[in-house]
Amino acid sequence: MRLQEAEGLYHPYEVFVQYEHLQHHQHVGSVLAPSPEVALLMARENLLRRERAVNVWVVRKDQIHATAYGDSDFFAQEFDRSYRRVDGYSADNARKWKQFKQRALELEDMLGD
Amino acid sequence: MAPVVSKPAEVALHPGYREVVVQFLTELADDELTLGHRDSEWLGLAPDIEGDIAFSSIAQDEVGHAAFCFDRIAELTGQEADVLAFARSAAERRNARLLERENGDWAETIVRHYLYDTFDRLRLQALVESSYRPLAEGAVKMLREEYYHRLHMQTVLARLGRGGEARERVERALYALADEVGSLFAGSLQDARLTDLRILRASGNDIASAWCEQVAAELEDWGLPVPAGLRTVRPAADGRTVHGAALQQLLSEMAEVYHTDPQATW
C-alpha cells in the first residue's frame, strides 16, 4: 500500500544540464521526484555536486515522445548514400585546389599573351 | 574610528579586536560543524535516495564552511584547524544548543535546518560589510551556497506541511524546537563589542526580530502553526556555553578516528 502511494507520488524526471552558455543542454541522467521543483533541487544536488553549470532542465519522463525500438524501419537506410556524405573533403583537397588554381592561372597568362 | 582589518596580522593594531572576532568565528565554525555532522548522520537513511545524496551534499557544504572559519581562527591564534575541530571538549564548544540535538525524525531535521538556515542567512548578510575583511569575503561565498540550502529546506518543508502524518510530525517538531531556538541568539550576538567593532553590521536583537518576522510569515504561507517561541524569541543566556549529553555523544563519534592518533597526518 505504502509503495503504491509512493509510486503515485514520485515520477522520474530526465535531467539536462547546460554547462556553459554557448553549449546546448546535455542529458546527464534522471532523478525521482514528487514535483518539478523538487526534481530541480535533486538534479542540482545529485548531478551537479562538483561541476559548474549555468542551467538545468528537468523533463517528466512521461512527457517525452519517443520512437519504438521495434520500429527499426523508421531509421531505414538501404542504398548507397556515400554521395550525401562529406568524406570527399579530405585533407588532400587543399593541395588539389591549389594545383587547380595554379593551372587556371597559367592558362589565363597564356591566353592573355 | 571604526577599524577596517584587511589582514590577520592587523588585528594587533586594535585592542580587544582579536578576542571578539575569534569568539565569533568559533561560534560560526561550531554551528556549521555541529549541524554538518548531524546532517551526515542521515547518510543511507533519508526517505529517498535522491534526498539522501542531497543531504550529504549539504552536509559537506556545511563542514566546508566550518573549515573556512577554523582556518580564519588558525590565522589569528596560531592553533591548528584540525585541533580546533576535533580536540576541543564539549565545554569549549560554542555551537547553539539547538544544533547538537539528536536528529529526531525527518520532519524535525528539516524544520531545524530551515530555522537555522534562515538565521544563518541573516547573520551572513550582516557580515558582508564586516570590518574583518577575510570574514566578509567568506560570507559572500557562504551566502551563495546557503541560498540553495534554504531553498531546499523551504521546498521540502512546504511539501511536508501539506497534510497527513507528515504535517503532524512537522507541527510536533515546530513546538519541540521553539523551546531551543533562543540558543541561536546567545553568545557574541549579545556582545555589543561585536557591532561596535563593526565585525557584524546588525545587532543580535535586529537579527532576532528579522528572523521571527520571516519565519512567521513563511510558516503562515505554508499554512503551518507559528508557536509563540518562534514569533518572539528570547535569547538563551547559556545557549552556547552549556551543552547537553547530545553534544558529548556527537563529539565522541565525530572525533573517534582523530583520537586514535592525533599526531597522524591525513
Side-chain angles (χ1 to χ4, degrees):
Chain A
M1 183 60 205
R2 277 250 144 140
L3 193 65
Q4 274 178 342
E5 266 174 35
E7 277 171 1
L9 281 169
Y10 282 71
H11 296 280
Y13 286 80
E14 298 297 336
V15 181
F16 300 83
V17 174
Q18 188 186 24
Y19 292 102
E20 285 173 41
H21 283 285
L22 289 178
Q23 288 178 354
H24 50 72
H25 288 69
Q26 294 174 43
H27 183 238
V28 296
S30 59
V31 293
L32 268 180
S35 76
E37 294 76 34
V38 176
L40 282 170
L41 284 172
M42 293 307 165
R44 192 256 178 264
E45 293 285 15
N46 281 263
L47 300 163
L48 284 169
R49 298 175 71 190
R50 296 177 190 91
E51 293 109 315
R52 292 171 184 277
V54 295
N55 199 256
V56 181
W57 291 343
V58 290
V59 182
R60 237 177 90 162
K61 196 180 174 74
D62 59 14
Q63 293 296 314
I64 293 175
H65 302 269
T67 56
Y69 281 105
D71 186 13
S72 56
D73 284 353
F74 189 84
F75 301 102
Q77 290 189 9
E78 297 303 312
F79 292 91
D80 176 21
R81 295 192 176 216
S82 60
Y83 59 90
R84 299 187 180 212
R85 297 207 299 255
V86 293
D87 310 21
Y89 296 94
S90 60
D92 209 28
N93 251 31
R95 192 183 54 79
K96 285 181 178 164
W97 264 110
K98 210 170 158 187
Q99 266 181 1
F100 174 76
K101 280 193 210 150
Q102 189 64 40
R103 225 175 49 208
L105 214 67
E106 282 165 10
L107 264 170
E108 225 167 77
D109 286 347
M110 274 157 62
L111 290 170
D113 283 342
Chain B
M1 175 64 207
V4 172
V5 180
S6 353
K7 286 198 282 283
E10 293 172 15
V11 290
L13 304 171
H14 308 282
Y17 195 98
R18 183 199 310 262
E19 183 203 334
V20 177
V21 78
V22 166
Q23 168 69 28
F24 185 53
L25 278 166
T26 307
E27 294 176 7
L28 285 167
D30 285 351
D31 277 359
E32 297 283 310
L33 185 61
T34 306
L35 188 61
H37 184 79
R38 284 293 183 216
D39 287 349
S40 76
E41 292 178 338
W42 276 104
L43 183 65
L45 302 171
D48 57 69
I49 185 74
E50 284 84 350
D52 195 293
I53 292 169
F55 228 66
S56 299
S57 176
I58 289 172
Q60 287 178 323
D61 285 346
E62 304 290 20
V63 173
H65 297 174
F68 171 85
C69 294
F70 282 130
D71 284 340
R72 301 290 78 71
I73 298 171
E75 285 173 349
L76 290 164
T77 64
Q79 293 159 288
E80 265 181 63
D82 275 355
V83 172
L84 290 166
F86 297 118
R88 282 178 306 140
S89 68
E92 296 169 279
R93 302 278 166 167
R94 293 294 173 263
N95 60 280
R97 207 158 45 223
L98 172 74
L99 306 176
E100 72 200 36
R101 280 175 71 102
E102 289 186 23
N103 280 325
D105 59 15
W106 182 242
E108 188 174 327
T109 299
I110 296 292
V111 169
R112 170 170 64 184
H113 224 294
Y114 160 75
L115 295 173
Y116 174 73
D117 285 345
T118 306
F119 162 78
D120 194 34
R121 189 174 70 124
L122 292 165
R123 182 170 61 178
L124 288 171
Q125 283 171 340
L127 278 171
V128 169
E129 301 281 321
S130 175
S131 62
Y132 194 55
R133 301 312 298 163
L135 182 51
E137 286 159 22
V140 172
K141 293 185 191 171
M142 287 189 261
L143 262 179
R144 292 196 66 194
E145 292 193 345
E146 291 297 344
Y147 166 77
Y148 70 79
H149 293 182
R150 215 177 85 82
L151 185 64
H152 184 107
M153 301 310 152
Q154 288 174 304
T155 309
V156 177
L157 183 52
R159 289 189 67 84
L160 291 176
R162 282 191 193 165
E165 185 188 339
R167 186 194 165 89
E168 282 166 28
R169 285 172 182 254
V170 166
E171 287 187 15
R172 210 179 308 146
L174 282 168
Y175 283 96
L177 296 177
D179 297 334
E180 286 275 35
V181 292
S183 62
L184 290 171
F185 303 91
S188 295
L189 291 184
Q190 300 305 313
D191 184 346
R193 291 178 300 171
L194 194 66
T195 39
D196 289 347
L197 293 168
R198 306 218 171 192
I199 295 166
L200 192 70
R201 302 302 296 270
S203 74
N205 289 342
D206 288 346
I207 292 178
S209 54
W211 180 83
C212 289
E213 210 173 294
Q214 189 172 2
V215 166
E218 286 179 336
L219 292 179
E220 280 165 8
D221 267 359
W222 301 324
L224 287 164
V226 185
L230 300 184
R231 222 174 261 286
T232 42
V233 67
R234 210 170 327 120
D238 62 359
R240 290 181 178 275
T241 43
V242 175
H243 299 288
L247 183 63
Q248 195 54 60
Q249 170 268 325
L250 183 151
L251 292 180
S252 56
E253 199 172 295
M254 182 176 73
E256 190 185 348
V257 175
Y258 175 82
H259 285 306
T260 57
D261 183 2
Q263 306 305 319
T265 311
W266 297 93

